[in-house]
Amino acid sequence: MIKKIYQVAIGIAVCLGFVACNCNQATSNENKSRSSYQIKVTTPPRPAGQTDVLNLTTPKMDTVRVGIIGLGMRGHSAVERYMHVPGAKVTAICDIRPEMVEKAQQVIEKAGHKRVAQYTGDENAWKALCERKDVDLVYIVTDWKHHVPMALYAMEHGKHVAIEVPAALDMEQIWALINMSEKKRLHCMMLENCVYDYFEITTLNMAQQGLLGEVIHGEGSYIHNLDDFWTEYWNNWRLDYNAKNRGDIYPTHGIGPVCQALNIHRGDKMNYLVSFDTHAFRGKEVYKRVMGKEDPNFQNGDLTVTMIKTEKGKTIQIQHDVVTPRPYSRMYQLTGTNGFANKYPIEGYLIQPESIAKDEVPNHENLSTHSFMPEEAKKAMMEKYKPRILRELETKAKEVGGHGGMDFIMDYRLIYCLRNGLPLDMDVYDLAEWCCLAPLSKLSLENGSAPVEIPDFTRGAWNKQKGYKHAFAN
């Protein structure tokens, strides 16, 4: 009997050892094995003679001369903000609608400036703006389908470009922007304002200071019922785009701040994604109400969820929902080995009490390991870890406005970096990584939620820079 028990014990030990061995082997071979079931996405070779534009710098400018294309909702407010950005001068404006151009000219005059060159009345009028010699930066705020043609033409004519979100809609467009930016050695930045939200940028600083430990998971979203806004888009282009396209078609607000905290293409990279979506239950109803007709082939699911795995074994979850009656949310969560940050619906932090000095926050003894820290402690932590950008710009940003001021900070930082010959806060590879979720989530959904490879848009340079950072002149 004893001999039999001994033999069973040995067998169990051998089995456990075998399982452990296989688990370790599976872990070490994860990147190799996943290639057998992933949908591969082509990475075109870099054109001969080109190199990456990581940390790209260009000659300093005393004044950045700006041409703005698109003067609707976002474009008109951009003209207003640029009247307050030091070192920026709007020299040309363009919109297909003459009345929008006139409204922008009135904003410029009200700010005490002379009227600027204007282009309107024709779908190709913007080309003349891009060709002007007194324009250094073309600021593109049009409907989505015009973003890439305008940006490519502007860079061909020697202009830096800043493009409203999403900058590109498919992989062909994404690679075209990368190649042109690398060819011309010009900045191509996406205007992602949410990375400058006060909570997000302060939490980023906390993460960079190690307060959250190792950040291992992030969440983001664009959850915004657009019932009050659909008809404000010229020719109903945005609702029409939802009708014709499946997937997370507007991912950048959610994924941008998370990617910065996870140092994507600055020490880590996104490897693959898997997407799921619901049927278009309410989307079809919204389309019928707004457009006055049915679309039985309405493509965009009411809710799309995308999961992402990184090279360093971290995870990201992104959601898109613009039709259901959910409260506005960008979700924004960071989970670290030593702390947790959350913006919606409760803005707060949970940080291991032993990681915070007793004199660092009031009522340290009330800090918990299973609930958010008290509001006064949160405020103390946010004040202590307020980043330099906010210390310098928060008051002015709140005065100028634009989504609470984060739009002004975005514009200020873009001009500041161009004037000082510094790398921009967001480069063309950020643009690519954040925009690629749209076409790649669609590819996953159309193949039964299969895993889809996410290309390395830096083409091998994703680990060259160690950690995300903002550049300063001094």
Side-chain angles (χ1 to χ4, degrees):
M1 182 67 179
I2 293 175
K3 181 178 180 181
K4 188 173 182 179
I5 293 173
Y6 176 76
Q7 290 173 335
V8 170
I10 292 294
I12 293 173
V14 169
C15 288
L16 287 174
F18 177 74
V19 171
C21 179
N22 275 342
C23 286
N24 291 334
Q25 185 177 4
T27 300
S28 64
N29 290 335
E30 179 186 356
N31 292 346
K32 191 180 296 182
S33 64
R34 69 168 185 262
S35 62
S36 63
Y37 58 84
Q38 276 183 13
I39 295 175
K40 291 293 182 183
V41 177
T42 301
T43 298
R46 177 171 279 129
Q50 292 185 191
T51 58
D52 69 68
V53 286
L54 289 165
N55 290 314
L56 175 68
T57 59
T58 55
K60 296 180 180 181
M61 307 179 198
D62 290 333
T63 301
V64 180
R65 299 166 298 178
V66 184
I68 300 178
I69 307 176
L71 302 170
M73 285 191 293
R74 296 289 289 147
H76 183 81
S77 60
V79 174
E80 292 178 327
R81 295 193 305 275
Y82 265 96
M83 299 301 101
H84 303 276
V85 178
K89 181 181 181 181
V90 175
T91 55
I93 55 177
C94 176
D95 194 283
I96 194 170
R97 297 163 293 178
E99 66 273 18
M100 304 309 292
V101 172
E102 179 57 29
K103 283 181 64 177
Q105 292 282 28
Q106 291 174 12
V107 169
I108 293 169
E109 286 185 309
K110 186 177 179 180
H113 305 291
K114 294 181 180 180
R115 287 185 164 229
V116 301
Q118 66 180 50
Y119 301 89
T120 186
D122 185 272
E123 285 200 0
N124 292 313
W126 54 269
K127 290 184 177 180
L129 181 148
C130 295
E131 294 165 5
R132 292 184 65 90
K133 293 185 177 181
D134 62 349
V135 170
D136 304 306
L137 168 69
V138 175
Y139 197 95
I140 301 169
V141 208
T142 64
D143 61 299
W144 300 349
K145 71 178 181 179
H146 286 97
H147 286 176
V148 172
M150 291 176 175
L152 293 176
Y153 193 83
M155 284 190 281
E156 278 279 20
H157 287 80
K159 318 301 183 188
H160 301 294
V161 294
I163 316 169
E164 188 54 89
V165 296
L169 303 176
D170 58 40
M171 299 303 288
E172 183 179 359
Q173 290 186 345
I174 288 170
W175 285 114
L177 291 176
I178 291 172
N179 287 339
M180 185 64 74
S181 177
E182 292 181 349
K183 175 184 176 181
K184 294 291 187 178
R185 313 304 293 175
L186 290 166
H187 292 293
C188 179
M189 185 187 108
M190 184 162 61
L191 294 164
E192 181 42 70
N193 57 351
C194 292
V195 299
Y196 299 104
D197 178 273
Y198 305 141
F199 186 85
E200 272 96 319
I201 198 171
T202 299
T203 302
L204 173 65
N205 189 42
M206 289 182 179
Q208 291 173 332
Q209 301 300 322
L211 195 64
L212 305 182
E214 181 80 8
V215 179
I216 62 173
H217 175 75
E219 298 189 14
S221 72
Y222 187 68
I223 298 170
H224 187 188
N225 182 6
L226 294 178
D227 279 357
D228 294 335
F229 301 96
W230 291 119
T231 57
E232 295 187 26
Y233 295 98
W234 178 60
N235 286 345
N236 290 316
W237 67 262
R238 186 162 182 178
L239 182 55
D240 185 62
Y241 194 86
N242 276 260
K244 293 177 180 176
N245 292 274
R246 190 180 181 189
D248 189 337
I249 61 173
Y250 198 68
T252 71
H253 289 332
I255 196 168
V258 171
C259 280
Q260 288 186 346
L262 289 177
N263 298 315
I264 298 302
H265 86 251
R266 300 169 178 89
D268 199 357
K269 68 182 181 75
M270 299 188 292
N271 277 343
Y272 64 97
L273 62 76
V274 176
S275 290
F276 307 88
D277 66 352
T278 69
H279 291 315
F281 295 101
R282 191 167 188 272
K284 290 182 178 179
E285 297 175 6
V286 170
Y287 186 89
K288 182 178 180 180
R289 172 171 52 80
V290 175
M291 307 294 275
K293 59 183 179 180
E294 292 186 354
D295 184 351
N297 297 314
F298 192 97
Q299 292 294 301
N300 201 249
D302 288 357
L303 174 65
T304 302
V305 180
T306 301
M307 295 296 298
I308 301 165
K309 187 73 174 287
T310 78
E311 177 72 18
K312 297 293 181 70
K314 301 177 181 183
T315 54
I316 302 170
Q317 178 190 318
I318 303 296
Q319 291 190 26
H320 176 264
D321 177 359
V322 294
V323 295
T324 70
R326 296 168 69 180
Y328 178 88
S329 173
R330 298 195 304 273
M331 287 171 58
Y332 190 65
Q333 290 183 4
L334 293 182
T335 300
T337 56
N338 210 33
F340 175 77
N342 184 86
K343 182 169 175 64
Y344 298 92
I346 299 173
E347 186 176 286
Y349 299 101
L350 191 164
I351 300 170
Q352 294 292 93
E354 60 269 21
S355 300
I356 304 174
K358 291 186 176 180
D359 59 351
E360 201 168 2
V361 297
N363 299 318
H364 184 280
E365 65 277 5
N366 293 331
L367 295 182
S368 170
T369 58
H370 62 272
S371 60
F372 288 115
M373 62 172 54
E375 183 66 17
E376 57 181 349
K378 183 199 83 170
K379 289 180 178 179
M381 294 300 293
M382 292 190 71
E383 181 59 33
K384 176 177 180 179
Y385 288 93
K386 182 181 290 188
R388 174 176 171 177
I389 288 175
L390 284 189
R391 294 192 184 279
E392 295 179 352
L393 299 177
E394 184 176 6
T395 300
K396 183 66 174 178
K398 289 180 177 178
E399 174 190 325
V400 175
H403 289 96
M406 61 188 185
D407 292 356
F408 172 77
I409 296 175
M410 173 184 70
D411 294 330
Y412 181 99
R413 283 291 301 173
L414 169 59
I415 299 303
Y416 172 88
C417 290
L418 288 175
R419 292 182 70 199
N420 289 283
L422 299 170
L424 303 189
D425 293 347
M426 293 170 278
D427 60 25
V428 71
Y429 307 116
D430 292 306
L431 178 159
E433 290 153 356
W434 305 351
C435 287
C436 80
L437 264 65
L440 298 187
S441 63
K442 177 183 179 181
L443 186 58
S444 176
L445 293 169
E446 291 178 343
N447 288 275
S449 297
V452 176
E453 178 186 49
I454 300 175
D456 170 16
F457 294 102
T458 69
R459 289 184 272 216
W462 63 271
N463 204 25
K464 186 162 74 173
Q465 180 179 334
K466 305 301 183 183
Y468 176 81
K469 62 181 179 180
H470 298 105
F472 291 95
N474 56 329

